[in-house]
Amino acid sequence: MSQFFQHIRQSLSLKLSIGILLMTAIIFISSMGILFIESRRHVLQVSTDHANSVLNVVEQQVRRYLNTVETATTSNDFLAVQNFQPDSLLEYSRRIVLLNGNVDGCSITAAPNTFPQHGRYFSAYTVRQADTIVTVREGEYNYFEKPWYKTPVNLGKACWIDPFDDYNEGTLSAEGKIASYCKPLYSPEGKLLGVISTDLSLTKLSTIISAEAPFPNAYYRMIGQKDTLGLGIPQQEQGSMRVAVEGVPSLVCYRPVQGTHWRLILVCPESDIFKGYYVLTNIIIGIILIGLVCIFLFCRHIVSHAIRPLNRLLDQTQRIAQGKYNETIAHTERKDVVGRLQNSFATMQESIDRHVTDIQRINEGRIQRNGELRQARLSVEEANRQKTVFIQNVTHQIRTPLNIILGFAQVLRDSYHTASAEDVSNMIDMMQHQVLTLNRMVLMLYDSSDVGLTEELNSQKKELVSCNEVAYECIEATHRHFPGLPVVFHTTLPDDFCILTNRLYLMRSLRELLYNSAKYSDGQHISVSVTATDKSVRFVYTDTGTGISAAVSDKIFAPFVKINDLSEGLGLGLPLARRHILNLGGDLILDTDYHEGCRFVVELPL
């Protein structure tokens, strides 16, 4: 195998042929890929339309069967009400099944203790078994809790209930699953007499409608209010979706059955839908492969014939490639392009031997100088860009609150006596908020200079600071910027638990973290917790929101870096907070294992 690839690398004709073949293959594959994708989409669309059309026809057919059952029930219920006696109920139950071929069973169930001579339970039930119709009084079981009795009684009207298994031990039962149309029976005085329930065999119905399947392996399912197949089909809607049914990728079309809570679905395996498509795809792929092989052989022959004269020149130039610069290349009298190429190589070889050393030295120096100049230019451009961006950002961030303060000041001056007390209070609050914002930015600019930091650290001595107290003060300071902001505070430390540190810089760092949580989170789930270990105390700030992506998590502590260039701020908050914490002997880290938003951890030595 290695010899084969080495032969490819050494053969110009073979590489040119392979290049032409690859270009042709890319064009062919791209074109055919687009064609196959569009063809597949078209096949799926046509199949979906066809399946929906068939499903509509089948739904109408199912609706006709349901109408038959409803009509059979409605046309006989008044007889049962007029003659509500045990013998009559048995006769009417048999009459409904006998006169209606689509009805597979009928039960007329009396309300509890309607016929004391028969006890608490009485139900006349007729079922169609093959060619025989059997009518019996059902055995005693608690049918008052069955859906076919309880549902229509609770609703007070006729309804279809979800398909169910009719088997009850010790009494007559229908085979397989059935669907029942149930209707409560009331006396003229409005008293509940019982329930008449007419059954339709879903097994028989499935056999009838399966003949209408649009594909060989397609099948129908009837589901009730609960999606027993777990497909997530919407209630009372019709449409189609592509899902895996029992692990088989399928096209599922669904529509509600009018007058019921049921949905009729048609499951069409994709293997049936795309069967012809796959066969055609295999044929076309075979044709493409054969065509590419023919193209490769043709190109190989043409290219080999065209570059054969270059092989002789290759033998001569190989010695030069091995470092034998004194090996001369003979001049030729040929005037074609190959002859001119050979003479050019001969002249070049004569010059190479004299100047190769000088050229190498000059190239090395030039490469080194160019690299230095390029790096210097990039550094200058980056510094200039950062300076410009920072100045523009500072100007914008300061100008915005100043304009707001100036605007409200003019409003207060011009309309102080006419404005309401609430408006004046709101304007003063806004002006105060902007003043606090300006003060925060000025402190950031001051802290960002080494001079400012050194002077502050020299002027401020360490003192005992209560951890809970400094956390409370940070929350109160944030409330001045964000009134009404909900902040949950947890602590495992007593209020008199103190650490020796610089209170000013600790306050600035913790306040900046809470300020960022209020500004960039959802503003509803911000928490601050204070805990301690044997050697350190930890302040944990957690919020819920968009968070910080892993791509920029290693850059957020760099000065002048903002995740969103359009957001407020100078890009100094987190860098200065971390700088202060490090100067206090601790550390500020981003918890990358938390993905619901942001979680910053400040750890300070005791």
Side-chain angles (χ1 to χ4, degrees):
M1 183 63 70
S2 60
Q3 294 179 351
F4 173 75
F5 287 107
Q6 183 178 2
H7 177 64
I8 293 177
R9 290 193 296 268
Q10 295 177 351
S11 175
L12 177 61
S13 62
L14 189 57
K15 288 193 288 187
L16 290 175
S17 301
I18 293 176
I20 295 173
L21 178 64
L22 290 177
M23 180 181 66
T24 306
I26 291 174
I27 295 174
F28 273 14
I29 292 174
S30 300
S31 302
M32 297 308 298
I34 295 174
L35 177 61
F36 286 161
I37 292 174
E38 289 299 316
S39 299
R40 183 183 178 89
R41 184 187 64 80
H42 180 70
V43 169
L44 181 62
Q45 183 62 44
V46 171
S47 301
T48 302
D49 294 341
H50 177 55
N52 280 320
S53 177
V54 173
L55 184 62
N56 183 48
V57 173
V58 171
E59 191 272 336
Q60 296 298 327
Q61 187 176 359
V62 170
R63 185 62 252 177
R64 287 196 297 271
Y65 279 96
L66 299 183
N67 287 339
T68 302
V69 174
E70 293 174 7
T71 302
T73 304
T74 305
S75 61
N76 289 276
D77 61 346
F78 74 96
L79 296 175
V81 171
Q82 292 177 355
N83 300 279
F84 203 81
Q85 297 298 326
D87 294 337
S88 301
L89 296 183
L90 291 170
E91 178 60 27
Y92 293 143
S93 172
R94 182 179 183 85
R95 171 191 176 92
I96 292 175
V97 177
L98 181 64
L99 297 181
N100 298 276
N102 293 328
V103 173
D104 294 278
C106 178
S107 67
I108 303 177
T109 304
N113 300 314
T114 300
F115 305 117
Q117 68 273 24
H118 293 288
R120 175 179 172 82
Y121 305 94
F122 182 86
S123 176
Y125 185 44
T126 301
V127 65
R128 189 188 304 273
Q129 296 180 342
D131 296 331
T132 305
I133 296 177
V134 180
T135 302
V136 297
R137 176 197 170 190
E138 286 192 274
E140 294 187 357
Y141 67 96
N142 189 14
Y143 50 73
F144 303 119
E145 296 299 323
K146 294 294 183 179
W148 51 265
Y149 183 94
K150 184 169 61 175
T151 301
V153 170
N154 291 337
L155 294 176
K157 62 179 181 179
C159 64
W160 283 95
I161 63 172
D162 290 347
F164 65 98
D165 190 343
D166 186 50
Y167 176 76
N168 291 286
E169 185 175 357
T171 186
L172 185 65
S173 301
E175 297 179 358
K177 287 204 170 196
I178 62 174
S180 292
Y181 178 73
C182 308
K183 185 175 182 180
L185 301 177
Y186 294 95
S187 66
E189 295 78 18
K191 178 182 177 181
L192 176 67
L193 298 178
V195 173
I196 181 171
S197 174
T198 309
D199 302 331
L200 175 65
S201 172
L202 293 184
T203 303
K204 177 180 177 181
L205 182 61
S206 176
T207 302
I208 295 173
I209 64 177
S210 294
E212 302 293 337
F215 300 101
N217 297 311
Y219 56 91
Y220 295 90
R221 287 289 186 272
M222 187 88 74
I223 60 177
Q225 290 181 319
K226 294 183 179 180
D227 186 355
T228 56
L229 297 180
L231 302 179
I233 298 176
Q235 288 280 359
Q236 302 303 325
E237 290 184 10
Q238 64 182 35
S240 60
M241 61 174 65
R242 296 177 66 188
V243 294
V245 181
E246 299 179 353
V248 179
S250 306
L251 170 66
V252 176
C253 299
Y254 54 88
R255 65 186 303 116
V257 179
Q258 295 181 3
T260 70
H261 294 291
W262 308 339
R263 287 159 292 172
L264 181 64
I265 66 172
L266 171 60
V267 181
C268 305
E270 290 190 1
S271 57
D272 283 3
I273 296 175
F274 297 109
K275 182 178 181 180
Y277 172 84
Y278 292 146
V279 173
L280 179 61
T281 299
N282 294 332
I283 294 175
I284 294 178
I285 290 175
I287 294 174
I288 291 176
L289 293 177
I290 295 174
L292 291 176
V293 171
C294 295
I295 292 174
F296 173 78
L297 296 177
F298 179 77
C299 292
R300 170 74 171 166
H301 175 74
I302 297 299
V303 174
S304 298
H305 183 268
I307 67 173
R308 188 176 297 123
L310 296 177
N311 291 330
R312 291 190 299 271
L313 182 61
L314 175 63
D315 295 334
Q316 294 175 321
T317 56
Q318 281 180 342
R319 292 192 294 271
I320 298 176
Q322 296 171 358
K324 299 177 182 179
Y325 301 113
N326 57 349
E327 293 286 343
T328 60
I329 298 177
H331 289 267
T332 182
E333 299 296 329
R334 292 180 58 175
K335 302 300 181 182
D336 59 7
V337 65
V338 177
R340 295 196 300 272
L341 179 62
Q342 182 173 346
N343 291 334
S344 298
F345 267 95
T347 303
M348 179 183 65
Q349 187 276 331
E350 293 171 358
S351 300
I352 287 176
D353 192 29
R354 295 192 304 268
H355 303 293
V356 64
T357 304
D358 293 338
I359 292 175
Q360 290 177 347
R361 185 175 60 255
I362 293 172
N363 284 339
E364 291 175 358
R366 179 179 57 81
I367 292 173
Q368 183 178 359
R369 288 192 297 274
N370 287 344
E372 294 173 353
L373 291 174
R374 186 181 301 108
Q375 186 62 35
R377 179 177 59 82
L378 292 176
S379 299
V380 171
E381 291 178 352
E382 179 62 20
N384 185 63
R385 187 191 67 80
Q386 289 187 356
K387 178 199 70 175
T388 303
V389 172
F390 179 68
I391 292 175
Q392 291 174 348
N393 190 26
V394 169
T395 303
H396 173 72
Q397 297 295 338
I398 293 179
R399 185 175 62 239
T400 299
L402 283 177
N403 289 338
I404 294 174
I405 294 172
L406 179 60
F408 280 125
Q410 291 176 350
V411 173
L412 288 175
R413 182 193 62 188
D414 298 337
S415 60
Y416 177 78
H417 297 290
T418 59
S420 64
E422 182 180 357
D423 292 339
V424 172
S425 176
N426 291 336
M427 287 186 282
I428 292 175
D429 291 342
M430 180 59 71
M431 294 171 68
Q432 182 180 7
H433 175 76
Q434 299 304 324
V435 168
L436 292 175
T437 302
L438 282 174
N439 181 65
R440 175 173 171 270
M441 286 190 287
V442 171
L443 286 176
M444 283 186 180
L445 292 174
Y446 183 70
D447 287 346
S448 64
S449 65
D450 290 333
V451 175
L453 180 60
T454 303
E455 292 179 355
E456 287 288 348
L457 287 176
N458 291 335
S459 63
Q460 297 289 335
K461 296 181 179 180
K462 290 186 178 181
E463 57 181 309
L464 288 176
V465 178
S466 170
C467 297
N468 290 345
E469 181 182 347
V470 76
Y472 281 124
E473 291 182 9
C474 291
I475 294 174
E476 291 177 357
T478 305
H479 281 157
R480 288 196 292 271
H481 285 275
F482 302 94
L485 176 72
V487 179
V488 179
F489 178 70
H490 302 282
T491 181
T492 60
L493 306 179
D495 290 340
D496 58 352
F497 186 90
C498 300
I499 60 174
L500 186 63
T501 186
N502 187 303
R503 182 185 185 89
L504 174 62
Y505 277 91
L506 178 58
M507 279 285 296
R508 289 183 182 178
S509 301
L510 298 182
R511 191 166 55 206
E512 183 62 33
L513 294 177
L514 191 55
Y515 185 89
N516 281 349
S517 293
K519 186 167 65 171
Y520 298 113
S521 71
D522 61 1
Q524 299 296 324
H525 304 86
I526 300 174
S527 65
V528 179
S529 64
V530 184
T531 59
T533 63
D534 295 338
K535 298 181 179 179
S536 64
V537 62
R538 304 181 75 189
F539 297 84
V540 180
Y541 287 78
T542 306
D543 61 61
T544 301
T546 56
I548 298 175
S549 63
V552 298
S553 61
D554 57 342
K555 301 178 182 178
I556 59 175
F557 294 114
F560 314 120
V561 174
K562 298 197 297 183
I563 298 177
N564 183 1
D565 292 336
L566 300 179
S567 64
E568 296 181 359
L570 303 177
L572 293 173
L574 288 177
L576 287 176
R578 190 168 190 267
R579 182 180 181 184
H580 297 335
I581 296 300
L582 291 175
N583 287 330
L584 296 177
D587 196 7
L588 169 60
I589 60 175
L590 171 66
D591 187 356
T592 56
D593 295 330
Y594 180 71
H595 303 293
E596 300 298 327
C598 288
R599 175 178 289 160
F600 287 95
V601 180
V602 175
E603 188 165 2
L604 292 170
L606 296 179

